[in-house]
Amino acid sequence: MGKPIKMGNDEFILYCRKQNKGDNKSTAQLGKIIWEWIRDYAGGKKVGKRENCEWGEEADNVSASGLPYTATQFEFDRDYLPALYDYLDTL
């Protein structure tokens, strides 16, 4: 593995929502398909426990079709970030 990076699923879901990608998918569905891509293509693993998102659960945009209030943390080779964002753009 190249240089590892730790990122939360909330960052990728936020990207999707801001780019209007995966609008037909719930937050849970997005989280699952993002995790599967990281696991299958980037050799990623889940690390630690779910963490509260910075925007908090009281934010207006936290919902099943918006942003999560907690997020799974992943560790993977950061060289895969461009390919991951390319994948997110296809959702």
Side-chain angles (χ1 to χ4, degrees):
M1 173 156 63
K3 189 161 181 148
I5 189 168
K6 179 183 170 189
M7 294 181 76
N9 215 359
D10 54 328
E11 297 178 67
F12 306 121
I13 294 170
L14 175 62
Y15 173 82
C16 290
R17 297 301 188 217
K18 288 177 87 172
Q19 302 300 317
N20 297 310
K21 303 297 181 183
D23 286 345
N24 61 338
K25 294 175 177 44
S26 71
T27 301
Q29 289 171 320
L30 275 177
K32 181 179 179 184
I33 62 175
I34 293 167
W35 157 240
E36 289 171 346
W37 191 97
I38 290 172
R39 178 194 66 203
D40 296 346
Y41 294 98
K45 61 183 179 179
K46 294 180 182 180
V47 293
K49 59 180 183 168
R50 295 175 62 88
E51 294 184 16
N52 290 331
C53 298
E54 292 295 321
W55 45 75
E57 62 185 76
E58 299 301 320
D60 291 339
N61 53 355
V62 173
S63 68
S65 61
L67 298 174
Y69 65 92
T70 64
T72 301
Q73 305 300 301
F74 307 123
E75 186 173 288
F76 58 99
D77 184 336
R78 72 180 185 183
D79 290 342
Y80 285 94
L81 279 171
L84 173 56
Y85 281 101
D86 285 344
Y87 172 68
L88 297 178
D89 287 338
T90 68
L91 299 178

Coordinates of all heavy atoms in Angstrom, one line a residue:
M1 N 0.8 -1.2 0.0 CA 0.0 0.0 0.0 C 0.9 1.2 0.0 O 1.9 1.3 0.6 CB -0.9 0.0 1.2 CG -1.7 1.3 1.4 SD -3.3 1.3 2.2 CE -2.9 0.9 3.9
G2 N 0.5 2.2 -0.7 CA 1.2 3.5 -0.7 C 0.9 4.2 0.6 O 0.7 3.6 1.6
K3 N 0.9 5.5 0.6 CA 0.6 6.3 1.8 C -0.8 6.2 2.2 O -1.7 6.5 1.4 CB 1.0 7.7 1.6 CG 1.0 8.5 2.8 CD 1.8 9.8 2.7 CE 1.7 10.5 4.1 NZ 2.9 11.2 4.4
P4 N -1.1 5.7 3.4 CA -2.5 5.5 3.8 C -3.2 6.8 4.2 O -2.5 7.8 4.6 CB -2.4 4.6 5.0 CG -1.1 4.8 5.6 CD -0.2 5.2 4.4
I5 N -4.5 6.9 4.0 CA -5.3 8.0 4.4 C -6.5 7.5 5.2 O -7.0 6.4 4.9 CB -5.7 8.9 3.2 CG1 -6.3 10.2 3.7 CG2 -6.6 8.1 2.3 CD1 -6.5 11.2 2.6
K6 N -6.9 8.2 6.2 CA -8.1 7.9 6.9 C -9.2 9.0 6.6 O -8.9 10.2 6.8 CB -7.9 7.8 8.4 CG -9.1 7.5 9.3 CD -8.8 7.5 10.8 CE -10.1 7.5 11.6 NZ -9.9 7.7 13.0
M7 N -10.3 8.6 6.1 CA -11.4 9.5 5.8 C -12.7 8.9 6.2 O -12.9 7.6 6.2 CB -11.4 9.8 4.3 CG -10.2 10.6 3.8 SD -10.2 11.0 2.1 CE -11.4 12.3 2.1
G8 N -13.7 9.7 6.5 CA -15.0 9.2 6.8 C -15.9 9.2 5.6 O -15.8 10.0 4.7
N9 N -16.9 8.3 5.7 CA -17.8 8.2 4.6 C -18.6 9.5 4.4 O -19.1 9.8 3.3 CB -18.8 7.0 4.9 CG -19.2 6.3 3.6 OD1 -18.8 6.7 2.5 ND2 -20.0 5.3 3.8
D10 N -18.8 10.3 5.5 CA -19.5 11.5 5.4 C -18.9 12.5 4.4 O -19.6 13.2 3.7 CB -19.6 12.2 6.8 CG -18.3 12.4 7.4 OD1 -17.4 11.6 7.2 OD2 -18.1 13.4 8.2
E11 N -17.6 12.5 4.2 CA -16.9 13.3 3.3 C -17.3 13.0 1.8 O -17.5 13.9 1.0 CB -15.4 13.3 3.4 CG -15.0 13.8 4.8 CD -13.5 13.7 5.0 OE1 -12.8 14.4 4.3 OE2 -13.1 12.9 5.9
F12 N -17.4 11.7 1.6 CA -17.8 11.3 0.2 C -19.3 11.5 -0.1 O -19.7 11.8 -1.2 CB -17.4 9.8 0.0 CG -15.9 9.5 0.3 CD1 -15.6 8.6 1.3 CD2 -15.0 10.3 -0.3 CE1 -14.2 8.4 1.6 CE2 -13.6 10.0 0.0 CZ -13.3 9.1 0.9
I13 N -20.1 11.3 1.0 CA -21.5 11.5 0.8 C -21.8 13.0 0.6 O -22.6 13.4 -0.3 CB -22.3 11.0 2.0 CG1 -22.2 9.4 2.0 CG2 -23.8 11.4 1.9 CD1 -22.8 8.8 3.2
L14 N -21.1 13.9 1.3 CA -21.2 15.3 1.1 C -20.8 15.7 -0.3 O -21.5 16.5 -1.0 CB -20.3 16.1 2.1 CG -20.3 17.6 1.9 CD1 -21.6 18.2 2.1 CD2 -19.3 18.2 2.9
Y15 N -19.7 15.1 -0.8 CA -19.3 15.4 -2.2 C -20.5 15.0 -3.1 O -20.8 15.8 -4.0 CB -18.1 14.6 -2.5 CG -17.7 14.7 -4.0 CD1 -17.0 15.8 -4.5 CD2 -18.1 13.8 -4.9 CE1 -16.6 16.0 -5.8 CE2 -17.7 13.9 -6.3 CZ -17.0 15.0 -6.7 OH -16.7 15.1 -8.0
C16 N -21.0 13.8 -3.0 CA -22.1 13.4 -3.9 C -23.3 14.3 -3.8 O -23.8 14.7 -4.8 CB -22.6 12.0 -3.5 SG -21.4 10.7 -3.8
R17 N -23.7 14.7 -2.6 CA -24.8 15.6 -2.5 C -24.5 17.0 -3.1 O -25.4 17.6 -3.8 CB -25.2 15.8 -1.0 CG -25.7 14.5 -0.3 CD -26.9 13.9 -1.0 NE -27.4 12.8 -0.2 CZ -27.9 11.7 -0.7 NH1 -27.9 11.5 -2.0 NH2 -28.4 10.7 0.0
K18 N -23.3 17.5 -2.9 CA -23.0 18.8 -3.5 C -22.9 18.8 -5.0 O -23.2 19.8 -5.7 CB -21.7 19.3 -2.9 CG -21.8 19.8 -1.5 CD -20.5 20.2 -0.9 CE -20.3 21.6 -1.2 NZ -19.1 22.2 -0.5
Q19 N -22.6 17.6 -5.6 CA -22.4 17.5 -7.0 C -23.7 16.9 -7.7 O -23.7 16.6 -8.9 CB -21.2 16.5 -7.4 CG -19.9 17.0 -6.8 CD -19.5 18.4 -7.4 OE1 -19.7 18.7 -8.6 NE2 -19.1 19.3 -6.5
N20 N -24.7 16.7 -6.9 CA -26.0 16.1 -7.3 C -25.8 14.7 -7.9 O -26.4 14.4 -9.0 CB -26.7 17.0 -8.3 CG -27.1 18.3 -7.7 OD1 -27.7 18.3 -6.6 ND2 -26.8 19.4 -8.3
K21 N -24.9 13.9 -7.3 CA -24.6 12.6 -7.7 C -25.3 11.6 -6.7 O -25.3 11.9 -5.5 CB -23.1 12.3 -7.8 CG -22.4 13.2 -8.7 CD -22.8 13.1 -10.1 CE -22.0 14.0 -11.0 NZ -22.4 14.0 -12.4
G22 N -25.9 10.6 -7.2 CA -26.6 9.6 -6.3 C -27.8 10.2 -5.7 O -28.2 9.7 -4.6
D23 N -28.4 11.2 -6.3 CA -29.6 11.8 -5.7 C -30.8 10.8 -5.5 O -31.7 11.0 -4.7 CB -30.1 13.0 -6.5 CG -29.2 14.2 -6.4 OD1 -28.4 14.2 -5.4 OD2 -29.3 15.1 -7.2
N24 N -30.8 9.7 -6.3 CA -31.8 8.7 -6.3 C -31.5 7.7 -5.2 O -32.2 6.7 -5.1 CB -32.0 8.1 -7.6 CG -30.7 7.4 -8.1 OD1 -29.6 7.7 -7.7 ND2 -30.9 6.4 -9.0
K25 N -30.4 7.9 -4.4 CA -30.0 6.9 -3.4 C -30.1 7.5 -2.0 O -29.8 8.7 -1.9 CB -28.6 6.4 -3.7 CG -28.4 5.6 -5.0 CD -27.0 5.3 -5.3 CE -26.9 4.5 -6.5 NZ -27.6 4.8 -7.6
S26 N -30.5 6.7 -1.1 CA -30.5 7.2 0.3 C -29.1 7.3 0.8 O -28.1 6.8 0.2 CB -31.3 6.2 1.2 OG -30.6 5.0 1.4
T27 N -29.0 8.0 2.0 CA -27.7 8.1 2.6 C -27.1 6.7 2.9 O -25.9 6.5 2.7 CB -27.8 9.0 3.9 OG1 -28.4 10.2 3.5 CG2 -26.5 9.1 4.6
A28 N -27.9 5.8 3.4 CA -27.4 4.5 3.7 C -27.0 3.7 2.5 O -25.9 3.1 2.5 CB -28.5 3.7 4.4
Q29 N -27.7 3.9 1.4 CA -27.3 3.2 0.1 C -26.0 3.8 -0.4 O -25.1 3.0 -0.8 CB -28.4 3.4 -1.0 CG -29.7 2.6 -0.7 CD -30.8 3.0 -1.7 OE1 -31.0 4.2 -2.0 NE2 -31.5 2.0 -2.1
L30 N -25.9 5.1 -0.3 CA -24.6 5.7 -0.8 C -23.4 5.2 0.1 O -22.4 4.8 -0.4 CB -24.6 7.2 -0.7 CG -25.2 8.0 -1.9 CD1 -25.3 9.5 -1.6 CD2 -24.5 7.7 -3.1
G31 N -23.7 5.2 1.4 CA -22.6 4.7 2.3 C -22.2 3.3 2.0 O -21.0 3.0 2.0
K32 N -23.1 2.5 1.7 CA -22.8 1.1 1.4 C -22.0 0.9 0.1 O -21.0 0.2 0.0 CB -24.1 0.2 1.3 CG -23.8 -1.2 1.0 CD -25.1 -2.0 1.0 CE -24.7 -3.5 0.7 NZ -25.9 -4.3 0.5
I33 N -22.5 1.6 -1.0 CA -21.7 1.4 -2.2 C -20.4 2.1 -2.2 O -19.4 1.6 -2.9 CB -22.6 1.9 -3.5 CG1 -22.9 3.4 -3.4 CG2 -23.8 1.1 -3.6 CD1 -23.7 3.9 -4.6
I34 N -20.2 3.2 -1.4 CA -18.9 3.8 -1.3 C -18.0 2.8 -0.5 O -16.8 2.6 -1.0 CB -19.0 5.2 -0.6 CG1 -19.7 6.2 -1.5 CG2 -17.6 5.7 -0.2 CD1 -20.2 7.4 -0.8
W35 N -18.5 2.3 0.5 CA -17.7 1.3 1.3 C -17.3 0.1 0.4 O -16.1 -0.3 0.4 CB -18.4 0.8 2.5 CG -17.9 -0.5 3.0 CD1 -18.6 -1.7 3.1 CD2 -16.6 -0.9 3.4 NE1 -17.8 -2.7 3.6 CE2 -16.5 -2.2 3.8 CE3 -15.4 -0.1 3.5 CZ2 -15.4 -2.9 4.2 CZ3 -14.2 -0.8 3.9 CH2 -14.2 -2.1 4.3
E36 N -18.2 -0.4 -0.4 CA -17.9 -1.6 -1.2 C -16.8 -1.2 -2.2 O -15.9 -2.0 -2.5 CB -19.1 -2.1 -1.9 CG -20.1 -2.8 -0.9 CD -21.4 -3.1 -1.5 OE1 -21.8 -2.6 -2.6 OE2 -22.2 -3.9 -0.9
W37 N -16.8 0.0 -2.8 CA -15.8 0.4 -3.7 C -14.5 0.5 -3.1 O -13.5 0.0 -3.6 CB -16.2 1.7 -4.4 CG -15.3 2.1 -5.6 CD1 -15.6 1.8 -6.9 CD2 -14.0 2.6 -5.5 NE1 -14.5 2.2 -7.6 CE2 -13.5 2.7 -6.8 CE3 -13.1 3.1 -4.5 CZ2 -12.3 3.3 -7.2 CZ3 -11.9 3.6 -4.8 CH2 -11.5 3.7 -6.1
I38 N -14.4 1.2 -1.9 CA -13.2 1.3 -1.2 C -12.6 -0.1 -0.8 O -11.4 -0.3 -0.9 CB -13.4 2.2 0.1 CG1 -13.6 3.7 -0.4 CG2 -12.2 2.1 1.0 CD1 -14.0 4.6 0.7
R39 N -13.5 -0.9 -0.3 CA -13.0 -2.3 0.1 C -12.5 -3.1 -1.2 O -11.4 -3.7 -1.1 CB -14.2 -3.0 0.7 CG -13.9 -4.5 1.1 CD -15.1 -5.2 1.4 NE -15.9 -5.4 0.2 CZ -17.3 -5.6 0.2 NH1 -17.9 -5.7 1.3 NH2 -17.9 -5.7 -0.9
D40 N -13.3 -3.1 -2.2 CA -13.0 -3.9 -3.4 C -11.9 -3.4 -4.3 O -11.1 -4.2 -4.9 CB -14.2 -4.2 -4.2 CG -15.3 -4.9 -3.4 OD1 -15.0 -5.5 -2.4 OD2 -16.5 -4.9 -3.9
Y41 N -11.8 -2.1 -4.5 CA -10.9 -1.5 -5.4 C -9.6 -0.8 -4.8 O -8.6 -0.8 -5.4 CB -11.6 -0.5 -6.3 CG -12.6 -1.2 -7.2 CD1 -13.9 -1.2 -6.9 CD2 -12.2 -1.8 -8.4 CE1 -14.8 -1.8 -7.7 CE2 -13.1 -2.5 -9.2 CZ -14.4 -2.4 -8.8 OH -15.4 -3.1 -9.6
A42 N -9.8 -0.3 -3.6 CA -8.7 0.4 -2.9 C -8.1 -0.5 -1.8 O -7.2 0.0 -1.1 CB -9.1 1.7 -2.4
G43 N -8.6 -1.7 -1.5 CA -8.1 -2.5 -0.5 C -8.3 -1.9 0.9 O -7.5 -2.1 1.8
G44 N -9.3 -1.1 1.0 CA -9.6 -0.3 2.3 C -10.1 -1.2 3.4 O -10.6 -2.3 3.1
K45 N -10.1 -0.6 4.6 CA -10.7 -1.3 5.7 C -11.4 -0.3 6.6 O -11.0 0.9 6.6 CB -9.6 -2.0 6.5 CG -8.5 -1.1 7.1 CD -7.4 -1.9 7.8 CE -6.4 -1.0 8.3 NZ -5.3 -1.6 9.1
K46 N -12.3 -0.7 7.3 CA -13.0 0.1 8.3 C -12.1 0.2 9.5 O -11.4 -0.7 9.9 CB -14.3 -0.5 8.7 CG -15.4 -0.5 7.6 CD -16.7 -1.1 8.1 CE -17.7 -1.2 6.9 NZ -19.0 -1.7 7.4
V47 N -12.0 1.4 10.1 CA -11.2 1.6 11.2 C -12.0 2.3 12.3 O -12.8 3.2 12.0 CB -9.9 2.5 10.9 CG1 -9.0 1.7 10.0 CG2 -10.2 3.8 10.3
G48 N -11.7 1.9 13.5 CA -12.4 2.6 14.7 C -13.9 2.3 14.6 O -14.4 1.4 14.0
K49 N -14.6 3.2 15.2 CA -16.0 3.2 15.3 C -16.6 4.4 14.5 O -15.9 5.3 14.1 CB -16.6 3.2 16.7 CG -16.2 4.4 17.5 CD -16.7 4.4 18.9 CE -16.3 5.7 19.6 NZ -17.0 5.9 20.8
R50 N -17.9 4.3 14.2 CA -18.6 5.4 13.6 C -18.4 6.7 14.4 O -18.4 6.6 15.6 CB -20.1 5.1 13.4 CG -20.3 3.9 12.5 CD -21.8 3.6 12.5 NE -22.6 4.7 12.0 CZ -22.9 4.9 10.7 NH1 -22.4 4.0 9.8 NH2 -23.6 5.9 10.3
E51 N -18.1 7.8 13.7 CA -17.9 9.0 14.4 C -19.0 10.0 14.1 O -19.6 10.0 13.0 CB -16.5 9.6 14.1 CG -15.4 8.8 14.5 CD -14.0 9.4 14.3 OE1 -14.0 10.6 14.0 OE2 -13.0 8.6 14.3
N52 N -19.3 10.9 15.0 CA -20.3 11.9 14.8 C -19.7 12.9 13.7 O -18.5 13.2 13.7 CB -20.6 12.7 16.0 CG -21.4 11.9 17.0 OD1 -22.1 11.0 16.7 ND2 -21.2 12.2 18.3
C53 N -20.6 13.3 12.8 CA -20.2 14.3 11.8 C -20.1 15.7 12.4 O -20.8 16.0 13.3 CB -21.2 14.2 10.6 SG -21.3 12.6 9.8
E54 N -19.2 16.5 11.8 CA -19.0 17.8 12.3 C -20.3 18.7 12.2 O -20.5 19.6 13.0 CB -17.9 18.5 11.5 CG -16.5 17.9 11.7 CD -16.0 18.1 13.2 OE1 -16.3 19.2 13.7 OE2 -15.4 17.2 13.7
W55 N -21.2 18.4 11.3 CA -22.3 19.3 11.1 C -23.4 18.9 12.2 O -24.3 19.7 12.3 CB -22.9 19.2 9.7 CG -23.0 17.8 9.2 CD1 -23.9 16.9 9.5 CD2 -22.2 17.3 8.2 NE1 -23.7 15.7 8.8 CE2 -22.6 16.0 7.9 CE3 -21.1 17.7 7.4 CZ2 -22.1 15.1 7.0 CZ3 -20.5 16.9 6.5 CH2 -21.0 15.6 6.3
G56 N -23.3 17.8 12.8 CA -24.2 17.4 13.9 C -25.5 16.9 13.4 O -25.9 17.2 12.3
E57 N -26.2 16.2 14.3 CA -27.5 15.6 13.9 C -28.6 16.6 13.8 O -29.7 16.4 13.3 CB -27.9 14.5 14.8 CG -28.1 14.9 16.2 CD -28.3 13.6 17.1 OE1 -27.4 12.9 17.4 OE2 -29.5 13.4 17.4
E58 N -28.4 17.8 14.3 CA -29.5 18.8 14.3 C -29.5 19.7 13.0 O -30.3 20.6 12.8 CB -29.4 19.7 15.5 CG -29.6 19.0 16.8 CD -30.9 18.2 16.9 OE1 -31.9 18.8 16.5 OE2 -30.9 17.1 17.4
A59 N -28.5 19.6 12.2 CA -28.4 20.4 10.9 C -29.6 20.1 10.1 O -30.1 19.0 10.0 CB -27.1 20.0 10.2
D60 N -30.0 21.1 9.3 CA -31.2 20.9 8.5 C -31.1 19.9 7.4 O -32.1 19.4 6.9 CB -31.6 22.3 7.8 CG -32.0 23.3 8.8 OD1 -32.5 22.9 9.9 OD2 -31.9 24.5 8.5
N61 N -29.9 19.6 7.0 CA -29.7 18.7 5.8 C -29.3 17.3 6.2 O -29.0 16.5 5.4 CB -28.6 19.3 4.9 CG -27.3 19.5 5.7 OD1 -27.2 19.4 6.9 ND2 -26.2 19.9 4.9
V62 N -29.4 16.9 7.5 CA -29.2 15.6 8.0 C -30.5 14.8 7.9 O -31.5 15.1 8.5 CB -28.7 15.5 9.4 CG1 -28.6 14.1 9.9 CG2 -27.3 16.2 9.5
S63 N -30.5 13.8 7.0 CA -31.7 13.0 6.8 C -31.3 11.7 6.0 O -30.2 11.6 5.5 CB -32.8 13.8 6.0 OG -32.3 14.0 4.7
A64 N -32.3 10.9 5.8 CA -32.1 9.7 5.0 C -31.8 10.0 3.6 O -31.1 9.2 2.9 CB -33.4 8.8 5.1
S65 N -32.1 11.1 3.1 CA -31.8 11.5 1.7 C -30.8 12.7 1.6 O -30.6 13.2 0.5 CB -33.1 11.9 0.9 OG -33.7 13.0 1.6
G66 N -30.3 13.0 2.7 CA -29.3 14.1 2.8 C -28.0 13.7 3.3 O -27.3 12.9 2.6
L67 N -27.6 14.2 4.4 CA -26.3 13.9 5.0 C -26.4 13.0 6.2 O -27.4 13.1 6.9 CB -25.5 15.1 5.4 CG -25.2 16.1 4.2 CD1 -24.6 17.4 4.7 CD2 -24.3 15.4 3.2
P68 N -25.4 12.2 6.5 CA -25.5 11.3 7.7 C -25.1 12.1 9.0 O -24.5 13.2 8.9 CB -24.4 10.3 7.5 CG -23.4 11.0 6.6 CD -24.2 11.9 5.8
Y69 N -25.6 11.6 10.1 CA -25.2 12.3 11.4 C -24.0 11.5 12.0 O -23.3 12.1 12.9 CB -26.3 12.5 12.4 CG -27.0 11.2 12.9 CD1 -26.5 10.7 14.1 CD2 -28.0 10.6 12.2 CE1 -27.1 9.5 14.6 CE2 -28.6 9.5 12.7 CZ -28.2 8.9 13.9 OH -28.7 7.8 14.4
T70 N -23.7 10.3 11.6 CA -22.5 9.6 12.0 C -21.9 9.0 10.7 O -22.6 8.8 9.7 CB -22.8 8.4 13.0 OG1 -23.6 7.5 12.4 CG2 -23.4 9.0 14.3
A71 N -20.6 8.7 10.7 CA -20.0 8.1 9.6 C -18.9 7.1 9.9 O -18.2 7.3 10.9 CB -19.3 9.3 8.8
T72 N -18.9 6.1 9.1 CA -17.9 5.0 9.2 C -16.5 5.6 8.7 O -16.5 6.4 7.8 CB -18.2 3.8 8.4 OG1 -19.5 3.3 8.8 CG2 -17.2 2.7 8.4
Q73 N -15.5 5.3 9.4 CA -14.1 5.7 9.0 C -13.4 4.6 8.2 O -13.5 3.5 8.6 CB -13.3 6.1 10.2 CG -14.0 7.1 11.1 CD -14.3 8.4 10.4 OE1 -13.4 9.1 10.0 NE2 -15.6 8.8 10.4
F74 N -12.7 5.0 7.2 CA -12.0 4.1 6.3 C -10.5 4.4 6.3 O -10.2 5.6 6.3 CB -12.5 4.1 4.9 CG -14.0 3.9 4.7 CD1 -14.8 4.9 4.1 CD2 -14.6 2.8 5.3 CE1 -16.1 4.7 3.9 CE2 -16.0 2.6 5.1 CZ -16.7 3.6 4.5
E75 N -9.7 3.4 6.1 CA -8.3 3.7 5.8 C -8.0 2.9 4.5 O -8.3 1.8 4.4 CB -7.4 3.1 7.0 CG -5.9 3.5 6.7 CD -5.1 3.1 7.9 OE1 -5.2 3.8 9.0 OE2 -4.3 2.1 7.8
F76 N -7.3 3.7 3.6 CA -7.0 3.1 2.3 C -5.8 3.9 1.7 O -5.5 4.9 2.2 CB -8.2 3.0 1.4 CG -8.8 4.4 1.1 CD1 -8.6 5.1 0.0 CD2 -9.7 4.9 2.0 CE1 -9.2 6.3 -0.2 CE2 -10.4 6.1 1.8 CZ -10.1 6.8 0.7
D77 N -5.3 3.4 0.6 CA -4.2 4.0 -0.1 C -4.7 5.3 -0.7 O -5.6 5.3 -1.6 CB -3.6 3.1 -1.1 CG -2.4 3.6 -1.9 OD1 -2.2 4.8 -1.9 OD2 -1.7 2.7 -2.4
R78 N -4.1 6.4 -0.4 CA -4.7 7.7 -0.9 C -4.5 7.9 -2.4 O -5.1 8.7 -3.0 CB -4.1 8.9 -0.1 CG -2.6 9.2 -0.4 CD -2.3 10.4 0.4 NE -0.9 10.8 0.2 CZ -0.3 11.8 0.8 NH1 -1.0 12.4 1.7 NH2 0.9 12.1 0.5
D79 N -3.6 7.0 -3.0 CA -3.5 7.1 -4.5 C -4.8 6.7 -5.2 O -4.9 7.1 -6.4 CB -2.4 6.1 -4.9 CG -1.0 6.6 -4.5 OD1 -0.8 7.8 -4.2 OD2 0.0 5.8 -4.5
Y80 N -5.7 6.1 -4.5 CA -7.0 5.7 -5.1 C -8.0 6.9 -5.0 O -9.1 6.7 -5.6 CB -7.6 4.5 -4.4 CG -6.9 3.2 -4.8 CD1 -5.8 2.7 -4.1 CD2 -7.2 2.6 -5.9 CE1 -5.1 1.6 -4.4 CE2 -6.6 1.4 -6.3 CZ -5.5 0.9 -5.6 OH -4.9 -0.2 -6.0
L81 N -7.7 8.0 -4.4 CA -8.7 9.1 -4.3 C -9.2 9.6 -5.6 O -10.4 9.7 -5.8 CB -8.1 10.2 -3.4 CG -8.2 10.0 -1.9 CD1 -7.5 11.2 -1.2 CD2 -9.7 10.0 -1.5
P82 N -8.3 9.8 -6.6 CA -8.9 10.3 -7.9 C -9.8 9.3 -8.5 O -10.9 9.6 -9.0 CB -7.6 10.5 -8.8 CG -6.5 10.7 -7.8 CD -6.9 9.9 -6.6
A83 N -9.5 8.0 -8.5 CA -10.4 7.0 -9.0 C -11.7 6.9 -8.2 O -12.8 6.7 -8.8 CB -9.7 5.6 -9.0
L84 N -11.6 7.1 -6.9 CA -12.9 7.1 -6.1 C -13.8 8.2 -6.5 O -15.0 8.0 -6.7 CB -12.5 7.1 -4.6 CG -13.7 7.3 -3.7 CD1 -14.8 6.2 -3.9 CD2 -13.2 7.3 -2.2
Y85 N -13.2 9.4 -6.7 CA -14.0 10.6 -7.1 C -14.6 10.4 -8.5 O -15.7 10.8 -8.8 CB -13.3 11.9 -6.9 CG -13.3 12.3 -5.4 CD1 -12.1 12.1 -4.6 CD2 -14.4 12.9 -4.8 CE1 -12.1 12.5 -3.3 CE2 -14.4 13.3 -3.5 CZ -13.3 13.1 -2.7 OH -13.3 13.4 -1.4
D86 N -13.8 9.8 -9.4 CA -14.3 9.5 -10.7 C -15.5 8.5 -10.6 O -16.5 8.7 -11.3 CB -13.2 8.8 -11.6 CG -12.2 9.8 -12.1 OD1 -12.4 11.0 -12.0 OD2 -11.1 9.3 -12.5
Y87 N -15.4 7.5 -9.7 CA -16.5 6.6 -9.5 C -17.8 7.4 -8.9 O -18.9 7.2 -9.4 CB -16.1 5.5 -8.6 CG -17.3 4.6 -8.1 CD1 -17.9 3.8 -9.0 CD2 -17.7 4.6 -6.8 CE1 -19.0 3.0 -8.6 CE2 -18.8 3.8 -6.4 CZ -19.4 3.0 -7.3 OH -20.5 2.3 -6.9
L88 N -17.5 8.2 -8.0 CA -18.6 9.0 -7.4 C -19.4 9.8 -8.4 O -20.6 10.0 -8.4 CB -18.2 9.9 -6.2 CG -17.6 9.1 -5.0 CD1 -17.1 10.1 -4.0 CD2 -18.5 8.1 -4.4
D89 N -18.6 10.3 -9.4 CA -19.2 11.1 -10.4 C -20.1 10.3 -11.4 O -20.9 10.9 -12.1 CB -18.1 11.8 -11.3 CG -17.4 12.9 -10.5 OD1 -18.0 13.5 -9.6 OD2 -16.3 13.3 -10.9
T90 N -20.0 9.0 -11.3 CA -20.9 8.2 -12.2 C -22.2 7.8 -11.5 O -23.1 7.2 -12.1 CB -20.2 6.9 -12.6 OG1 -20.0 6.0 -11.4 CG2 -18.8 7.1 -13.2
L91 N -22.3 8.1 -10.2 CA -23.5 7.7 -9.5 C -24.7 8.5 -9.9 O -24.7 9.6 -10.3 CB -23.3 7.8 -8.0 CG -22.2 7.0 -7.4 CD1 -22.0 7.2 -5.9 CD2 -22.4 5.5 -7.7

